Amino acid sequence: QVHLVESGGGSVPAGGSLRLSCTASGYAYGNFYCMGWYRQAPGKAREEVASILIGGGGTSYADSVQGRFTISQGNAKNTVYLQMDSLKPGDTGVYYCAAGVFSCANPNHWGRGTQVTVSS
């Protein structure tokens, strides 16, 4: 069974930084095609924040985080990071790691999420 585990969430003031980590285990077929980060703010729908093609390295970002967040893959298999700088109160939410076997648009596996809170 595949498990995705996120870490690195926390509370920071506006303008601060956090680095989220995600490690996947239990996937028996090598690397995922794509891994990414989604977030859900209170009362809002979950939205995609960033994604990366594992191996190829191509990245994609939501307009709201472009230039402030950086997604990268780790040296370990199926590990990704999200460096979040210049954080804003609007970035507050639960951040979920996701992994897609065939595409970025429809992840097959999800983590349980890590809370990020940005105070003004």
Side-chain angles (χ1 to χ4, degrees):
Q1 187 173 2
V2 175
H3 293 281
L4 276 64
V5 179
E6 305 99 334
S7 62
S11 297
V12 295
S17 297
L18 285 171
R19 186 180 190 230
L20 305 183
S21 300
C22 172
T23 299
S25 62
Y27 185 61
Y29 304 101
N31 290 319
F32 289 111
Y33 174 78
C34 179
M35 294 184 72
W37 292 93
Y38 289 69
R39 69 185 179 191
Q40 187 166 21
K44 294 187 177 182
R46 187 157 56 186
E47 61 174 347
E48 182 177 353
V49 175
S51 63
I52 185 167
L53 298 178
I54 301 299
T59 59
S60 175
Y61 296 93
D63 289 343
S64 59
V65 307
Q66 182 78 45
R68 300 188 296 121
F69 290 11
T70 303
I71 188 170
S72 61
Q73 59 185 82
N75 292 328
K77 187 178 74 172
N78 292 327
T79 299
V80 292
Y81 305 100
L82 185 68
Q83 177 67 39
M84 304 186 294
D85 299 317
S86 302
L87 282 161
K88 305 175 181 180
D91 295 319
T92 294
V94 179
Y95 283 68
Y96 299 90
C97 179
V101 176
F102 301 111
S103 74
C104 293
N106 295 293
N108 303 94
H109 305 286
W110 294 87
R112 291 191 171 187
T114 185
Q115 177 70 44
V116 171
T117 303
V118 184
S119 58
S120 58

